Short mmCIF file of all heavy atoms in Angstrom, two decimals:
data_model
loop_
_atom_site.label_atom_id
_atom_site.label_comp_id
_atom_site.label_asym_id
_atom_site.label_seq_id
_atom_site.Cartn_x
_atom_site.Cartn_y
_atom_site.Cartn_z
N ALA Y 304 123.93 109.03 101.42
CA ALA Y 304 123.61 107.61 101.37
C ALA Y 304 122.37 107.38 102.23
O ALA Y 304 122.27 107.89 103.33
CB ALA Y 304 124.78 106.79 101.92
N TYR Y 305 121.43 106.65 101.72
CA TYR Y 305 120.18 106.45 102.44
C TYR Y 305 120.39 105.53 103.63
O TYR Y 305 120.89 104.41 103.49
CB TYR Y 305 119.11 105.88 101.51
CG TYR Y 305 118.68 106.88 100.48
CD1 TYR Y 305 119.25 106.89 99.22
CD2 TYR Y 305 117.72 107.82 100.79
CE1 TYR Y 305 118.86 107.83 98.28
CE2 TYR Y 305 117.33 108.76 99.85
CZ TYR Y 305 117.90 108.76 98.60
OH TYR Y 305 117.52 109.70 97.68
N PRO Y 306 120.01 105.97 104.84
CA PRO Y 306 120.26 105.16 106.04
C PRO Y 306 119.49 103.86 106.07
O PRO Y 306 119.84 102.95 106.78
CB PRO Y 306 119.82 106.09 107.19
CG PRO Y 306 118.86 107.05 106.56
CD PRO Y 306 119.36 107.24 105.14
N HIS Y 307 118.43 103.77 105.29
CA HIS Y 307 117.61 102.54 105.27
C HIS Y 307 117.80 101.79 103.94
O HIS Y 307 116.95 101.02 103.54
CB HIS Y 307 116.14 102.87 105.47
CG HIS Y 307 115.87 103.54 106.78
ND1 HIS Y 307 115.81 102.87 107.97
CD2 HIS Y 307 115.67 104.85 107.07
CE1 HIS Y 307 115.57 103.72 108.95
NE2 HIS Y 307 115.48 104.92 108.44
N GLY Y 308 118.88 102.06 103.26
CA GLY Y 308 119.10 101.39 101.99
C GLY Y 308 118.62 102.23 100.83
O GLY Y 308 117.85 103.18 100.98
N LEU Y 309 119.10 101.90 99.64
CA LEU Y 309 118.72 102.65 98.45
C LEU Y 309 117.24 102.46 98.15
O LEU Y 309 116.74 101.34 98.15
CB LEU Y 309 119.54 102.17 97.25
CG LEU Y 309 119.36 102.98 95.97
CD1 LEU Y 309 120.00 104.34 96.13
CD2 LEU Y 309 119.95 102.25 94.77
N PRO Y 310 116.49 103.55 97.93
CA PRO Y 310 115.06 103.40 97.63
C PRO Y 310 114.84 102.57 96.39
O PRO Y 310 115.50 102.73 95.38
CB PRO Y 310 114.60 104.84 97.41
CG PRO Y 310 115.62 105.68 98.11
CD PRO Y 310 116.91 104.94 97.97
N SER Y 311 113.90 101.63 96.50
CA SER Y 311 113.55 100.85 95.32
C SER Y 311 112.79 101.73 94.35
O SER Y 311 112.24 102.75 94.71
CB SER Y 311 112.67 99.67 95.74
OG SER Y 311 111.51 100.14 96.40
N ARG Y 312 112.78 101.36 93.08
CA ARG Y 312 112.06 102.14 92.08
C ARG Y 312 110.58 102.15 92.41
O ARG Y 312 109.93 101.13 92.50
CB ARG Y 312 112.29 101.55 90.68
CG ARG Y 312 113.70 101.78 90.16
CD ARG Y 312 113.98 103.26 89.98
NE ARG Y 312 113.11 103.87 89.01
CZ ARG Y 312 113.36 103.91 87.70
NH1 ARG Y 312 114.47 103.39 87.24
NH2 ARG Y 312 112.52 104.48 86.86
N ALA Y 313 110.06 103.34 92.65
CA ALA Y 313 108.64 103.48 92.97
C ALA Y 313 107.85 103.56 91.68
O ALA Y 313 108.40 103.82 90.61
CB ALA Y 313 108.43 104.74 93.80
N PRO Y 314 106.54 103.33 91.73
CA PRO Y 314 105.74 103.45 90.52
C PRO Y 314 105.80 104.86 89.97
O PRO Y 314 105.98 105.82 90.71
CB PRO Y 314 104.32 103.10 91.00
CG PRO Y 314 104.37 103.21 92.49
CD PRO Y 314 105.75 102.93 92.90
N SER Y 315 105.70 105.02 88.66
CA SER Y 315 105.87 106.32 88.01
C SER Y 315 104.66 107.21 88.18
O SER Y 315 104.71 108.38 87.84
CB SER Y 315 106.14 106.12 86.52
OG SER Y 315 105.08 105.41 85.91
N THR Y 316 103.56 106.70 88.68
CA THR Y 316 102.36 107.51 88.88
C THR Y 316 101.96 107.46 90.34
O THR Y 316 101.91 106.41 90.95
CB THR Y 316 101.20 106.98 88.02
OG1 THR Y 316 101.59 107.02 86.65
CG2 THR Y 316 99.96 107.86 88.21
#
Side-chain angles (χ1 to χ4, degrees):
Y305 291 95
H307 300 282
L309 187 70
S311 58
R312 289 297 298 272
S315 59
T316 301

